[in-house]
Amino acid sequence: QVQLVESGGGLVQTGDSLRLSCLASGRTFEDYAMGWFRQAPGKGREFVAAIAWNGRSSDYVDSVKGRFTISRDNAKNTVYLQMNSLKPEDTAVYYCAMGNSAWNNNQYDYWGQGTQVTVSS
């Protein structure tokens, strides 16, 4: 019954910013870690960022450190991915995921439908 609904993707130019949102329902949102993943055409799913249940800790793949920021608003059951200084290499379908514990243990139970991010040169 858990549902994750992503939004915020689109077509932008190199150097632009986007903020992705993921609205969760059907589960006690504040009890679980959340993550963002992405998948480019012809490539496997890649971890992007994760955030603990209380927002006090987070981690990122090296390629987005300093450019992307994951955050959450537990009152709104929403996790965000702020993406700045976007590059063509960031082009992918971005997926929101809910973890199976309060901390990022690389195990996720639920996934959103994905939202397309395309960064042009």
Side-chain angles (χ1 to χ4, degrees), residues 10 12 34 49 51 57 64 69 72 77 81 87 96 119:
V12 298
M34 298 291 293
I51 188 167
S57 64
V64 309
T69 302
R72 65 191 297 161
N77 291 345
L81 185 67
K87 306 174 181 179
C96 174
V119 185

Side-chain angles (χ1 to χ4, degrees), residues 60-69 82-85 87:
Y60 303 87
V61 66
D62 286 345
S63 61
V64 309
K65 288 181 178 178
R67 299 189 298 119
F68 290 10
T69 302
Q82 178 67 46
M83 304 185 295
N84 297 328
S85 301
K87 306 174 181 179

